[in-house]
C-alpha cells in the first residue's frame, strides 16, 4: 500500500469523515455532525410523552423527539459505533429537554439510567454518564445550577429482546442496585433541586419506572424523567372489520 493511501486510511479511522447522522462525506462537520443534520435535530422541540399503557410508578416524562431520522442515527452512532465526540451535541440536546421539563432557573440534579458493566466496557464508557455530564455542563453554561450524580448501578441482565412487556417490567425492577456513595451524595444535593432521571430512549417506560421506584425507596424523589427519544410502540394488530 502506498504511504499516502495508508495515511489516508489511518486518518479516516481516527477522524471519521462522514456525518454521523446522514453518512454523507465531504461536508464540513462540527462534533461529527453536518449542518443539515444539526439543523434537523436542532428543530426538535421537547414534549411530554407517555407510554401506553404506562407502567406503575413512572414519573412524568419528556422526550426531545421520536426515535427516528437523524436523532436515531446520532444516538446509534454514539452508543454503538464509538462516535464519542457526539456526547457534546447530544448532551446539549438533552439539556434542552431538561430545560423544557423543569421550572425556569430551578437548580437541577441529573440522575441517569446506567449501562451494565458489560455494555459500558463495549462502549468504552457508560454512555448515559457521558450524556448526563455533558447536559449538566451545558445547563451551567446557560447559567443554571446543574449537577449530575450516579446513585444507581445496573446489574448484569439476560437478553430481553424476546420478552413480553410484563416480563421486561419484572426484569427492569431487578435490574438496578443502589451505589451507597452515589446515593449519599444525592441525598445531600437533592433538597432544593429539581431531580430528573435521564435515559436515551423511552419505550415501555419500565426501566425508568423501576429506577424511580428504587430511588424513592431510598428516600430520593424523582420529579420527572427526560429522554432524547421516545419510540412509538407497535400496537398489536386489531381486526378492522369486527
Ligand atoms: Zn449529516
Amino acid at each position: 500500500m502506498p504511504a499516502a493511501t495508508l495515511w489516508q486510511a489511518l486518518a479516516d479511522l481516527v477522524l471519521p469523515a462522514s456525518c454521523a447522522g446522514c453518512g454523507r462525506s465531504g461536508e464540513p462537520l462540527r462534533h461529527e455532525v453536518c449542518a443539515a443534520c444539526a439543523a434537523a435535530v436542532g428543530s426538535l422541540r421537547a414534549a411530554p410523552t407517555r407510554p401506553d399503557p404506562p407502567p406503575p410508578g413512572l414519573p412524568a416524562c419528556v422526550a426531545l423527539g421520536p426515535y427516528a431520522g437523524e436523532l436515531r442515527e446520532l444516538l446509534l452512532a454514539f452508543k454503538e459505533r464509538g462516535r464519542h465526540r457526539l456526547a457534546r451535541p447530544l448532551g446539549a440536546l438533552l439539556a434542552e429537554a431538561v430545560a423544557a421539563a423543569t421550572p425556569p432557573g430551578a437548580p437541577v440534579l441529573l440522575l441517569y439510567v446506567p449501562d451494565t458493566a458489560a455494555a459500558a466496557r463495549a462502549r468504552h464508557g457508560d454512555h448515559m454518564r457521558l450524556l448526563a455530564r455533558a447536559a449538566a455542563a451545558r445547563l451551567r453554561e446557560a447559567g443554571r445550577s446543574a449537577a449530575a450524580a450516579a446513585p444507581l448501578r445496573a446489574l448484569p441482565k439476560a437478553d430481553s429482546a424476546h420478552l413480553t412487556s410484563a416480563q421486561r417490567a419484572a426484569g427492569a425492577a431487578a435490574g438496578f442496585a443502589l451505589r451507597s456513595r452515589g446515593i449519599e451524595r444525592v441525598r445531600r444535593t437533592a433538597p432544593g433541586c429539581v431531580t430528573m432521571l435521564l435515559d436515551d430512549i423511552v419505550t415501555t417506560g419500565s426501566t425508568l419506572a423501576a429506577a424511580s421506584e428504587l430511588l424513592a425507596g431510598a428516600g430520593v424523589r424523582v420529579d420527572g424523567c427526560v429522554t432524547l427519544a421516545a419510540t412509538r410502540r407497535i400496537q398489536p394488530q386489531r381486526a378492522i372489520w369486527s
Side-chain angles (χ1 to χ4, degrees):
M1 185 185 284
T5 314
L6 175 63
W7 169 247
Q8 186 60 43
L10 289 172
D12 282 344
L13 200 63
V14 175
L15 279 177
S18 64
C19 169
C22 62
R24 277 199 297 263
S25 51
E27 304 278 331
L29 303 179
R30 274 193 80 185
H31 298 290
E32 310 218 15
V33 185
C34 77
C37 287
V41 292
S43 71
L44 296 170
R45 291 293 168 262
T49 185
R50 198 85 188 142
D52 181 20
L58 180 68
C61 196
V62 163
L64 182 70
Y67 186 53
E70 293 85 355
L71 182 60
R72 178 175 180 274
E73 291 308 313
L74 294 181
L75 252 176
L76 283 172
F78 178 62
K79 274 173 79 172
E80 315 298 349
R81 296 180 204 130
R83 309 278 294 250
H84 295 142
R85 295 176 76 209
L86 291 168
R88 191 158 159 160
L90 288 174
L93 291 170
L94 195 52
E96 273 186 42
V98 169
T102 52
V108 290
L109 177 61
L110 304 181
L111 314 180
Y112 58 89
V113 172
D115 279 336
T116 62
R121 267 198 306 277
R123 291 168 181 157
H124 302 285
D126 185 314
H127 78 289
M128 281 310 303
R129 178 168 179 261
L130 294 172
L131 291 188
R133 288 177 158 207
R138 178 72 170 203
L139 288 163
R140 287 195 297 271
E141 283 167 21
R144 289 281 287 267
S145 170
L152 300 173
R153 69 185 171 86
L155 303 173
K157 61 184 165 195
D159 181 10
S160 67
H162 303 293
L163 302 182
T164 64
S165 295
Q167 286 168 328
R168 273 189 214 205
F176 301 102
L178 296 167
R179 296 176 67 240
S180 52
R181 281 226 308 256
I183 203 81
E184 276 168 30
R185 178 167 176 231
V186 169
R187 283 193 188 121
R188 278 199 310 273
T189 315
C193 286
V194 180
T195 302
M196 306 305 278
L197 180 62
L198 311 181
D199 204 356
D200 51 3
I201 305 165
V202 57
T203 303
T204 65
S206 59
T207 302
L208 288 166
S212 299
E213 295 213 311
L214 185 60
L215 288 165
V220 175
R221 189 190 71 247
V222 171
D223 295 307
C225 299
V226 175
T227 66
L228 280 172
T231 57
R232 292 206 185 82
R233 293 188 64 202
I234 298 165
Q235 297 295 329
Q237 288 273 310
R238 295 203 180 104
I240 295 169
W241 305 111
S242 62

